[in-house]
């Protein structure tokens, strides 16, 4: 049967355009070597999904003692197999450049499909993610429960603890990940290919996220392992990227803990071909900045505190964004509990998002602050404790724009909660569901649950909680007082512009 799986994998690679007919013997012998086989009888291939082919080979490898039978080891091994089928970087880059010369979208369309065909993006795992939309006063928010990132089993956790620590690659974003074999505490990347690009006269690379939280979820990272920083040059890089790829948006996580991304040690952006809820939100309060009458500005109708700048000249937008950022870095308003720093620790930063709007450039500046207190040890402008049963993690770029990335635990918890609500079961002492007890009690006051409505009601309520999560992350409350405080900051910016 192993010969059938090998033949089927070869046929898959031919159909996907990863190899050519003349490569068959060359590729077959490499696969045989990895599998410890020294003879091979050509067998007719069977049409089957890639996941089924790989599972068949992995089962053989585990039974033969070539691969340990845990998810981490299996992922390392099947990535090694797919790496054999993946063209060399020079071929991938040559194809991308040729297509880009025709149109940027042609190049990214091909590269995104290629990244799936190589199994770098595992389609069969992405399809397991739970997704829905919830209508809120801010528009339709995107809700996802991410199930595509595999959970490590106890064996893998123990192996990772005992694994040799190494500084190569320095992080998961470094260019040295391309073709890296991986280890129990670092994913294999033999099927990973990156595209060199130049933005703002500096060397960067383009790749896709293997977990694809939204369509064509790309990562753009600095060729050098250098820390995240939000400054004028960051705005210029974002705007330069959407000049080169006008069909994509691009944004950056903030550069401070709590309000920043999970990797602050390596400068990178995230983008893609997707319309986020925040992009469709309208201006609720027009703004005017002294000396920048060529730029249309306003406060966005959004749960977080967002200033939108739109205009034809990207250098002017970057210049004004920098002036706003520098003002925000030093801004304190005790009455609004905004502190630029405490004991020398800075708190104010910005999450920026750039896109094209026809012939104009658009830059959203989301004001962030990472101050903590005894009452809110994880952050004042962070999901508060009463929402942690749904979302406790940091609110990064993707969520700022209106797409919830909720933890995988919720799949099982929501399913169990459905049963408890329909049966009117007390969950207050339940080990898994106890955290949801206050929420369940509130819902029982609003709804009469039955098998026909419970799933839809829970999805609706989860979406409304995510809207509240974003409100908690906003530095200015969605109230008359909050709006007045926001306008005080705008006046502060204009006073500084007038004094320049």
């Amino acid at each position: 049967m192993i010969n059938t799986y090998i033949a089927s994998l070869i046929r898959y690679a031919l159909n996907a355009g990863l190899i050519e007919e003349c490569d068959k013997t060359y590729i077959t012998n490499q696969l045989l070597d990895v599998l410890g086989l020294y003879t091979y009888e050509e067998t007719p291939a069977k049409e089957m999904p890639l996941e089924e082919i790989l599972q068949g080979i992995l089962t053989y490898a585990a039974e033969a003692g070539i691969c340990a039978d845990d998810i981490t080891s299996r992922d390392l091994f099947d990535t090694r197999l797919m790496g054999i089928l993946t063209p060399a970087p020079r071929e991938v880059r040559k194809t991308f450049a040729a297509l880009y010369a025709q149109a940027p979208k042609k190049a990214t369309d091909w590269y995104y499909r290629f990244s799936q065909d190589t199994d770098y993006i595992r389609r069969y795992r992405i399809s397991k993610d739970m997704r829905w939309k919830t209508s809120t006063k801010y528009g339709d928010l995107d809700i996802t429960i991410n199930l595509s990132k595999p959970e490590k089993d106890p064996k893998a956790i123990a192996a990772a603890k005992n694994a040799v620590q190494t500084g190569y690659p320095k992080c998961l974003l470094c260019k040295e990940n391309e073709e890296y074999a991986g280890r129990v505490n670092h994913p294999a990347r033999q099927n990973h290919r990156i595209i060199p690009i130049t933005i703002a006269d500096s060397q960067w690379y383009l790749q896709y996220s293997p977990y694809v939280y939204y369509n064509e979820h790309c990562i753009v990272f600095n060729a050098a392992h250098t820390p995240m920083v939000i400054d004028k040059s960051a705005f210029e890089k974002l705007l330069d990227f959407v000049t080169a790829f006008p069909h994509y948006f691009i944004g950056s996580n903030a550069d401070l803990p709590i309000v920043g991304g999970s990797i602050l040690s390596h400068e990178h952006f995230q983008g893609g071909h997707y319309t986020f809820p925040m992009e469709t939100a309208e201006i609720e309060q027009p703004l005017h900045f002294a000396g920048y009458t060529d730029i249309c500005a306003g406060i966005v109708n959004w749960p977080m505190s967002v200033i939108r700048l739109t205009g034809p000249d990207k250098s002017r937008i970057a210049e004004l964004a920098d002036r706003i950022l520098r003002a925000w870095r030093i801004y304190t308003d005790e009455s609004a509990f905004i502190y630029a720093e405490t004991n020398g620790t800075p708190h104010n930063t910005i999450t920026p998002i750039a896109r094209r709007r026809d012939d104009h450039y658009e830059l959203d500046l989301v004001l962030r602050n990472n101050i903590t207190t005894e009452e809110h040890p994880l952050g004042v402008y962070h999901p508060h404790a009463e929402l942690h049963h749904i979302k406790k993690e940091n609110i990064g770029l993707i969520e700022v724009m209106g797409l919830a990335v909720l933890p995988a635990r919720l799949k099982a918890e929501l399913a169990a909660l459905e049963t408890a609500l329909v049966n009117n079961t007390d969950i207050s002492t339940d080990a898994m569901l106890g955290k949801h007890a206050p929420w369940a009690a509130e819902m029982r006051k609003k709804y009469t649950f039955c098998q026909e409505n419970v799933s839809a009601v829970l999805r609706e309520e989860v979406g409304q909680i995510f809207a509240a999560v974003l409100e908690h992350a906003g530095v200015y409350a969605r109230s008359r007082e909050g709006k007045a405080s926001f306008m005080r900051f705008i006046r502060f910016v204009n006073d500084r512009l007038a004094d320049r």
Side-chain angles (χ1 to χ4, degrees), residues 414-415 417-422 443 448-460:
L414 292 177
L417 187 56
E418 284 186 17
T419 301
L421 289 170
V422 170
M443 287 192 291
T448 299
F449 287 102
C450 62
Q451 199 63 50
E452 288 70 29
N453 72 358
V454 64
S455 180
V457 168
L458 276 182
R459 288 190 172 209
E460 168 69 17

Side-chain angles (χ1 to χ4, degrees), residues 257-260 304 368-372 376-388 391-396 468-475:
I258 297 176
V259 296
M304 298 184 70
R368 310 299 301 273
N369 180 288
N370 74 346
I371 195 169
T372 61
H376 300 295
L378 298 182
V380 172
Y381 306 107
H382 177 90
H384 293 174
E386 66 269 23
L387 304 183
H388 287 178
K391 179 68 176 179
K392 184 178 181 180
E393 298 79 13
N394 293 349
I395 302 304
V469 162
L470 294 182
E471 289 176 338
H472 286 189
V475 295

